[in-house]
Every structure is written in C-alpha cells, then in structure tokens.
C-alpha cells in the first residue's frame, strides 16, 4: 500500500520529496515523501536502523557534518530546496533548530547558554529580555532566575534539556527538531518536556524522533512510522494523525510494530 | 514470539467473552422453554443464574483494565479490549432479559399459558440465539461482513414480535379476565425482541473491532453498500 503522506487542512512547514540519504555507497533511507504540518507535533517512530534519525537530521542539513553522507531528492522549505548550492546551512540550522538526545549545554553560565546563539547571530536587542523570554518559554525560568550566572552543568538532566530547548528558542527558529529528547531523562522530567512541547507547538513546528511509542501516542499530533526494508534502507510505511495511527493503522506492519509484535 | 504473555492475556479475554456468550445463548432457549412448558424450577434456576452473568461482566472488565494498565495495548489490541468491554455489557443485559422472562414465568405461576400468545416465542428465541452465535463467530474471526449480515436477522425477530403483539391484543379483546396474563406474556416477547437488538449492538462493536470504524443504522448500511 502506498503510504499516506498527506494531512487535511493547514500548511506544510517542510516537505521531503523523493528523498534518499546515502552514507558512502550504502543507502540509509529511500524514497521519502513526507509533509510536516506547521505548528503541530510530528513524531517519527520505527525500529532501530529504520532511518528516522537520518530523516530528522536531513531536515536541517545536519547530515552535512558526516563526510560520507549524501542527500538526493528535495527538502522543500518555504518553496526552495534546502540542499540547493546557494543555501547557507548555518542559516537553515538557525531557522530549523535541533535538540539532541543527551542534554548538551555549553560549559558556560545558564545565561550565556541561552544568549550565545543569539549573540553570534548578531542579535542587537535587549539580551536580558531575550534570555528571560526564552527560559520562560522553555518552562525553566522560575527554577533558574536566581542563579543565571551558575554553570549550565549545575542543573539536573531534565533542567539541562530544557536549557537546551531555551537555547534553541532564543535564535527564533520556525521548526524544532528533537532527536529522542527524553531518552536520558527520568519519567517526571520526561513528562515535563512533553508538556512543554505542547506549549511550544503554539509557536513552532516540532518534529520529534522517539523510541518510546507511548510518548509518540501521548505527545504528538501526527505520526510517521518508518521501517527498514530488505536492502536495509529505511522507508516511510505510514503517516497519519496520531489518534488514527494508534487506534486504526492502515498498514499491517504499522499494526505489528505498535502492538509490539516486532521491532 | 514477542509479547507472548500479553498475547495470552488478550486471548484469555476473548475466550471469556465467548464462554459468557455461549452460556447466554443456552439460557435464551431455556428461558422460553421454561415459560412455554411451565417449568417453574428451570425458571427459578435462570433467575438465580443471573448473578453469575453480572459477576462475569465485572471480571471481564477488571481483566481488561489490568491489561490496559500493564501492557499499553494499541491499535487492534486496544479495539479488542474496547469491544470486549462493550460486548460483556451487552451479554450481561441480554441475560437480564433471560432473568426477566424467568420472573414473568414465576409470576404466572401454575396458570397455563394460551398457545397463540407464546407460539412465536421459541422461534424468536432460536433466531436471537442464532444471531448471537454468528455475532460471536464474527468476533472471533474479526469478520465485519458476517457481523453486518447478522444484524439483518433482527428484522425477522421484530416481525415475530409484532405478530405476538397482535395476538396479545386480539386475545385481550376476547378475554378481558386474562388481561394481566396476556400483558405479561407480551412483555416476555418484548424481552426477546430487545435481546435481538442487543445482539445488533454486539455486531456493531465487532465491526468496529474489525475495521476501526464505529457506525450505526443508516450510516452502517451505507458503508457496506459502498463496498
């Protein structure tokens, strides 16, 4: 069955078209056609090796940093292909930010962690205000407002991850990519991040890769299920709104995966 | 196989529904048999048996909730649990009608029942039992088409009820002194008619289980006509 790659109503934040990603001669993902809805949360799920993180990283050219990686096809963002030669990958990464699996604050103060990205992007406005606003949006302000000059490392894992989210928000992106953002966190910190992204989607488009199916079911609006094919290339099996995908998946493979019969 | 324990738990839940369902099937026939043959001991037994069905419903519910809490079911597994909860409820209600017929039989006591008032009841009970049997087959097979075909059987039960209703009216007009008896027998027939309606509800949940879509009445008819 051809995967459903469309959704009704609403605009597309970013779209993958006939996308293939190679690492050297190995094709890691193939024939990806996926439209990501604006200001919604889209979860990418699938078994290990299905290419979901590769797809996520393609959305802001993070794969450029891997020497052997090559992307074919198109990633359309505001009408142009982000892999076109004239496109500046640094500008793309400012507009399409990323939060990683392990919280990775800089070895700087909490304040500087948030201010840093904005500063190197030439931000000329009121930095104190930007830092506060970003920390508030990341639901961290109340916990750190009295210790902004302490090291980012002094925070707990969950707080560090929210600090990284604040740092991402501070450069005013449109899209936030999250690569298993809670896999290193305890259950309470995890739920706090999930609540936070529900708030963030009012302003940002969120794409989240997660190994945790319950997380995708709880926290996302749309879900894309990827699988690894016989040639070991990852491909998109099914895309649908999350309620539908988790109660009535159209593809037998999706059904087997989400009910835990394989993967 | 991955999730063997979980798969066994789901299978057990399904088996419990089938067991409860087949007991209901049997008691539907017995209720009418006891009423028409004036077997008060059997009627009493059926009334007493109702407690077991009430408890089955609670047990199936508890089992389903524990699977939800411990196994996080998704997709068709979740639909099986949702359908099982609903079907257990419908079966419990159908057995309330069995109990109702038993109570009517006990209220009538030693009085003989006039043939024209009960002549359609064995057929009504058998048709309803057959519907329930097919509904449970459809449940086991996840067979939406069979569930849909089964729903159509409800019309025949309704027709038999209408015949009984007319017979009761005619009888009452001619036998004013047997008004209460006739009314009670009409109520027994009504119970059977309602039991078949409950089987229709079960079929709708089986269709939901098989297709992921819950529909009723004209909407359901349309979705099968379009196939």
């Amino acid at each position: 069955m051809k995967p459903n790659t469309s959704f009704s109503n609403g605009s597309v934040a970013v779209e993958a078209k006939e996308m293939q990603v190679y690492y050297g001669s190995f094709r890691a993902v193939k024939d990806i056609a996926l439209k990501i809805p604006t200001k919604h949360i889209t979860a990418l799920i699938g078994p290990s090796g299905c290419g979901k993180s590769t797809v996520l990283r393609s959305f802001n050219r993070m794969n450029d940093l891997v020497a052997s990686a090559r992307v074919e096809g198109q990633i359309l963002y505001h009408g142009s292909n982000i892999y076109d030669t004239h496109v500046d990958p640094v500008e793309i990464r400012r507009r399409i930010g990323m939060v990683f699996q392990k919280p990775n604050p800089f070895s700087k103060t909490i304040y500087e962690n948030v201010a840093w990205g904005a500063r190197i992007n030439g931000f000329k406005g009121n930095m104190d205000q930007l830092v506060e606003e970003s920390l508030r949006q990341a639901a961290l302000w109340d916990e750190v407002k009295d210790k902004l000059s302490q090291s980012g490392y002094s925070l707990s894992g969950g707080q560090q991850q929210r600090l990284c989210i604040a740092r991402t928000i501070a450069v005013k992106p449109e899209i936030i990519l999250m690569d298993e953002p809670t896999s290193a966190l305890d259950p309470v910190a995890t739920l706090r991040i999930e609540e936070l992204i529900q708030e963030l989607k009012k302003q940002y488009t969120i794409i989240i890769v997660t190994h945790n199916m319950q997380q995708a079911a709880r926290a996302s609006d749309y879900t894309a299920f990827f699988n690894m094919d016989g040639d070991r290339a990852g491909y998109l099996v099914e895309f649908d709104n999350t309620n539908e995908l988790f109660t009535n998946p159209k593809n037998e493979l999706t059904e087997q995966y989400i009910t835990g019969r394989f993967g | 196989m991955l999730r063997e324990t979980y798969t066994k738990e789901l299978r057990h839940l399904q088996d419990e529904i089938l067991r409860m369902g087949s007991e209901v099937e049997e008691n539907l026939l017995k209720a009418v048999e006891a009423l028409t043959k004036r077997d008060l001991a059997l009627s009493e037994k059926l009334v007493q048996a109702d407690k077991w069905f009430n408890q089955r419903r609670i047990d199936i519910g508890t089992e389903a909730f524990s699977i939800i809490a411990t196994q996080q079911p998704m997709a068709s597994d979740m639909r099986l649990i949702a359908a099982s909860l609903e079907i257990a409820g419908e079966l419990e209600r159908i057995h309330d009608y069995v109990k109702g017929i038993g109570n009517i039989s006990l209220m009538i006591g030693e009085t003989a029942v006039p043939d024209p008032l009960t002549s359609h009841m064995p057929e009504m009970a058998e048709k309803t039992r057959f519907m329930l049997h097919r509904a449970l087959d459809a449940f086991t097979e996840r067979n939406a088409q069979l569930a849909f075909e089964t729903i159509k059987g409800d019309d025949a039960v309704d027709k038999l009820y209408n015949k009984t209703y007319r017979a009761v009216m005619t009888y009452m007009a001619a036998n004013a002194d047997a008004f209460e008896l006739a009314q009670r027998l009409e109520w027994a027939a009504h119970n059977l008619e309602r039991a078949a309606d409950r089987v229709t509800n079960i079929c709708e949940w089986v269709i939901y289980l098989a297709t992921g879509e819950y529909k009723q009445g004209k909407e359901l008819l349309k979705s099968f006509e379009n196939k």
Side-chain angles (χ1 to χ4, degrees):
Chain A
M1 193 182 73
K2 227 175 136 41
N4 175 11
T5 53
S6 61
F7 51 90
S8 51
N9 311 323
S11 64
V12 177
V14 60
E15 176 181 2
K17 259 183 150 174
E18 294 169 35
M19 185 180 76
Q20 333 279 328
V21 182
Y22 292 84
Y23 294 118
S25 60
F26 170 60
R27 184 159 67 158
V29 299
K30 62 180 181 186
D31 308 327
I32 304 294
L34 179 62
K35 290 177 183 171
I36 302 292
T38 303
K39 291 187 181 172
H40 283 85
I41 301 165
T42 300
L44 313 185
I45 63 167
S48 297
C50 72
K52 54 192 186 295
S53 288
T54 300
V55 169
L56 187 80
R57 285 152 187 272
S58 304
F59 282 133
N60 74 345
R61 294 190 55 168
M62 209 56 103
N63 287 324
D64 291 13
L65 308 174
V66 180
S68 65
R70 190 173 89 249
V71 176
E72 287 179 3
Q74 293 183 310
I75 301 269
L76 296 175
Y77 174 65
H78 289 286
S80 36
N81 182 10
I82 64 167
Y83 284 90
D84 279 353
T85 44
H86 69 272
V87 174
D88 174 9
V90 174
E91 176 59 14
I92 287 295
R93 289 180 205 132
R94 186 191 68 72
R95 300 219 267 177
I96 307 179
M98 190 153 201
V99 175
F100 296 89
Q101 183 170 1
K102 214 166 156 263
N104 56 348
F106 304 131
S107 137
K108 292 176 186 296
T109 64
I110 292 168
Y111 185 98
E112 278 306 313
N113 259 282
V114 181
W116 184 80
R119 187 169 293 132
I120 63 160
N121 272 297
F123 178 75
K124 297 278 192 293
N126 182 334
M127 188 60 86
D128 287 355
Q129 199 181 327
L130 178 73
V131 168
E132 176 173 344
E133 189 185 292
S134 304
L135 285 166
R136 278 189 190 281
Q137 277 194 49
L140 189 59
W141 175 251
D142 289 340
E143 291 159 65
V144 300
K145 61 178 185 225
D146 299 323
K147 48 178 179 181
L148 293 173
S149 57
Q150 287 182 23
S151 163
Y153 291 144
S154 67
L155 300 174
S156 72
Q159 289 172 325
Q160 287 186 20
Q161 194 62 304
R162 278 179 281 144
L163 179 62
C164 294
I165 291 171
R167 185 176 70 192
T168 305
I169 290 169
V171 298
K172 309 277 179 207
E174 279 181 39
I175 302 175
I176 303 175
L177 309 177
M178 297 187 168
D179 194 357
E180 297 190 43
T182 63
S183 64
L185 305 183
D186 69 43
V188 173
T190 296
L191 292 175
R192 196 164 283 155
I193 299 277
E194 287 176 15
E195 285 304 317
L196 169 60
I197 64 176
Q198 294 300 327
E199 281 301 309
L200 294 178
K201 78 169 181 185
K202 292 173 187 161
Q203 292 184 60
Y204 310 97
T205 298
I206 314 246
I207 312 176
I208 177 169
V209 161
T210 175
H211 262 309
N212 179 336
M213 248 174 326
Q214 271 69 42
Q215 179 167 70
R218 295 193 283 270
S220 72
D221 303 308
Y222 293 88
T223 300
F225 168 60
F226 293 84
N227 191 32
M228 187 163 63
D229 216 348
D231 58 3
R232 289 173 55 231
Y235 67 103
L236 177 63
V237 177
E238 185 167 351
F239 172 90
D240 211 331
N241 80 59
T242 296
N243 282 344
E244 189 68 15
L245 191 123
F246 280 97
T247 57
N248 191 18
K250 302 294 176 289
N251 191 293
E252 183 59 29
L253 274 175
T254 315
E255 169 88 28
Q256 285 176 14
Y257 181 73
I258 63 174
T259 58
R261 264 54 173 219
F262 90 97
Chain B
M1 188 180 68
L2 281 175
R3 306 198 81 179
E4 209 165 318
T5 309
Y6 171 49
T7 306
K8 270 186 200 154
E9 287 173 1
L10 291 174
R11 171 59 62 87
H12 187 260
L13 183 70
Q14 174 171 312
D15 288 349
E16 287 300 297
I17 293 286
L18 295 177
R19 185 179 310 169
M20 184 180 180
S22 66
E23 298 279 347
V24 171
E25 274 186 49
E26 206 172 301
N27 286 2
L28 265 171
L29 297 186
K30 283 183 184 165
V32 171
E33 189 192 322
L35 178 70
T36 54
K37 295 187 176 158
R38 310 308 309 117
D39 183 344
L40 295 182
L42 181 56
S43 294
E44 176 63 36
K45 220 171 121 186
L46 291 169
V47 170
Q48 292 308 321
D50 193 58
K51 291 190 195 86
W52 184 85
F53 289 87
N54 295 341
Q55 189 57 45
R56 293 313 303 140
R57 181 196 187 171
I58 293 167
D59 292 347
I60 286 170
T62 309
E63 197 173 318
F65 296 143
S66 120
I67 298 175
I68 293 171
T70 57
Q71 301 282 11
Q72 288 84 42
M74 296 277 188
S76 64
D77 295 343
M78 191 61 189
R79 300 205 302 272
L80 171 65
I81 289 173
S84 297
L85 285 167
E86 296 288 344
I87 293 171
E90 297 294 348
L91 290 172
E92 191 258 313
R93 293 306 303 273
I94 294 173
H95 204 273
D96 285 345
Y97 298 129
V98 168
K99 177 186 168 189
I101 295 168
N103 277 327
I104 287 165
S105 173
L106 294 175
M107 276 190 276
I108 292 169
E110 301 295 336
T111 317
V113 295
D115 254 359
L117 304 192
T118 55
S119 61
H120 297 301
M121 285 190 203
E123 196 183 347
M124 284 180 84
E126 172 50 29
K127 281 198 180 339
T128 305
R129 185 208 64 80
F130 182 61
M131 279 177 73
L132 178 54
H133 192 81
R134 295 222 301 170
L136 295 172
D137 282 347
F139 171 67
T140 315
E141 298 164 15
R142 315 286 190 265
N143 187 336
Q145 189 63 38
L146 178 59
F148 178 69
E149 296 298 329
T150 303
I151 290 174
K152 292 179 183 166
D154 189 42
D155 288 348
V157 179
D158 287 349
K159 276 189 188 128
L160 290 168
Y161 169 68
N162 290 335
K163 279 185 186 172
T164 302
Y165 182 81
R166 280 194 297 274
V168 165
M169 290 298 132
T170 311
Y171 190 84
M172 278 177 175
N175 305 277
D177 56 330
F179 184 88
E180 203 176 307
L181 172 69
Q183 199 194 28
R184 282 185 172 151
L185 290 172
E186 190 276 329
W187 193 246
H190 186 257
N191 273 359
L192 291 171
E193 188 270 325
R194 289 297 294 144
D197 290 345
R198 296 274 172 188
V199 178
T200 298
N201 297 348
I202 292 176
C203 291
E204 287 163 1
W205 284 105
V206 170
I207 292 167
Y208 168 75
L209 167 62
T211 65
E213 285 176 40
Y214 185 83
K215 289 189 172 124
Q216 290 178 302
K218 281 181 187 152
E219 217 193 330
L220 181 68
L221 202 65
K222 217 192 281 171
S223 72
F224 274 85
E225 277 168 355
N226 293 339
K227 274 182 186 157

